[in-house]
Amino acid sequence: MDILLEMLEKDARLTPEQIAIMTQKDEGDIKAAIDSYESRGVILGYKALVNWDKTEREYISAIIELKVTPQRDRGFEKIAEKIYNYPEVKSLYLMSGAYDFQVILEGKTLREVAQFVASKLAPIDGVISTATHFVLKKYKDNGCVFKVPEKDERINSI
Amino acid sequence: MTDYSKKLSKTAQSISPSGIRKFFDILDDMDDVTSLTVGQPDFATPWHIREAAIDALSAGKTYYTSNAGLTPLREEISKYVKRRFSLDYGKDEIITTVGGSEAIDLAMRALIDPGDEVIIPVPSFVCYGPIARLAGGVPVYVDLDEKDGFTLTPEKLERAITPKTKLLVLPFPNNPTGSVMRLPELEKIADIIEKKDIFVLSDEIYAELTYKGRHVSIASLDGMRERTIIASGFSKAYAMTGWRLGYTLAPREISVQMLKIHQYAIMCAPTASQYAGIEALCAGDEDIEYMKAEYDRRRLYIVNCLRSAGFECYEPLGAFYVFPNISKYGLDSESFCSRLLYENKVAIVPGTAFGSCGEGFARISYAYSVKHISSAVEKLADFANKIKNERKL
């Protein structure tokens, strides 16, 4: 049920009942499909998209480009595993092109992130080099533009 | 002091302003109202379409276009109506207009002589009667019934036709009822039209928002093309209400007459909008499908919510409105809607705004987010329960 995934990807707060009504399916079937997606790891979680810039919380994110030497037998997997197990690592991608891994890190301060790169990422076996880019401002993330929702300006009309 | 009432056009003065305006004025002055009144899409125009207009302006496309509109635009409209509705119109049978409204005006003015009768099924959008009268015509209203799914039946049409009848307005998919007319129903209407030798103004502005099957234009039926003017536009299909871009499709003989009126009264549709229109037609089919799928889910959702809350509500198959029957609550439509507004802060439009036969109904728009619909219908249900208890229904 691709439509179910599309709907939840757009609005994870839709209830199985609402989805059932909107797709004219049985609510039980929707629940079962969601359970199955969750158990097979198709649906991995449901989260709020937070703009931390609008809160008091100290927060910085950075994109780190890593060049590595793939290990014999296990290629990139072993190195990837070492990286993604750190909770500070928000995303990890294996990339085509000039470098191998893109790591998205989140920390409280610039120093904390720099420290993490120097003491945790750089020393991993097989890592040849790192390049750290700090995020200055987020405009859009996961399809959402970071701005206050606009007031409905549509006039009442018939 | 000039006595304006003696000087101003009698026809203009005799036209009453839209009755719903007062209600909307009250609504505009209130805070915290959850509104379900809006008659336009809640999507912004897709970005690539907006960008095409920006590019046109950047490139200095700030002049009038030819009266009928840019040739590439009319060529694309021609391809689009063929692709999506199996309609054959050459570029000389297409006039781009300032919204669907101008298209309706052109059609009426090109066809109507003083005293000609124009059959207008109601409930429907409020412009047909006044525009017919401004053209010298006489509106003849035909009340549609809920039991017929608010479609025009052949019996009703035949009863309304007189020797003076010139034109039938066919406003489907319909605002406010959400009703559509399918092929078998249209065939019966077409037979009568041909037999009685009258014309049809088919207002197909909501054609792309047809659910459970595709829209059928009466012009695609045998013998009907020569006696039909289609008024349509970009507002609802591409979420482009503010661009004021529409068009007429009509045989050359009719188009020639309409073009003269358009030429003297309007000149041409806004140039930047025309460039946006080309982009919409060339690359906007997916936008239509996306928005339609969204509306369809909300349609199913709101009908279900209303029925669960105890409202009688037939299933609308077009546009983005539901038209529940509220007569069982024992209040007239206007009282129901104004009490709902004052007491539970939800705004919906009384059915009577669309003709007296809308009494007992209300129009609810679902051009809103699911969350908005959900919270509005909850309040609406609270209000309905309160009325029920009050009246011991």
Side-chain angles (χ1 to χ4, degrees), chain B residues 68 74 89-96 106-107 110-111 225 228-230 247-263:
Chain B
R74 284 179 291 129
Y89 288 93
K91 65 178 174 8
D92 297 333
E93 297 171 308
I94 299 168
I95 302 171
T96 55
L106 288 184
L111 278 170
R225 187 185 183 280
T228 303
I229 301 174
I230 295 175
Y247 50 87
T248 56
L249 307 171
R252 200 173 312 264
E253 292 76 6
I254 304 177
S255 292
V256 166
Q257 300 307 319
M258 291 197 294
L259 188 57
K260 281 190 292 183
I261 301 163
H262 174 74
Q263 184 180 357

Side-chain angles (χ1 to χ4, degrees), chain A residues 3 10 18 154 156-158, chain B residues 28 37 40 175 294 301 367:
Chain A
I3 186 67
K10 230 182 119 209
Q18 287 174 319
R154 293 176 294 163
N156 295 305
S157 59
I158 55 177
Chain B
D28 289 341
T37 57
Q40 53 177 324
N175 170 16
E294 278 286 321
Y301 183 64

Side-chain angles (χ1 to χ4, degrees), chain B residues 345-382:
Chain B
K345 299 277 180 90
V346 175
I348 60 176
V349 181
T352 45
F354 304 92
S356 55
C357 74
E359 183 53 77
F361 296 87
R363 187 193 76 173
I364 299 180
S365 162
Y366 53 87
Y368 293 92
S369 71
V370 170
K371 194 177 160 200
H372 184 97
I373 292 170
S374 210
S375 104
V377 175
E378 235 169 75
K379 292 179 195 172
L380 181 56
D382 288 345

Side-chain angles (χ1 to χ4, degrees), chain B residues 55-74:
Chain B
D55 289 348
L57 290 172
S58 301
K61 308 285 189 193
T62 58
Y63 303 106
Y64 296 129
T65 67
S66 67
N67 295 128
L70 295 163
T71 305
L73 174 59
R74 284 179 291 129

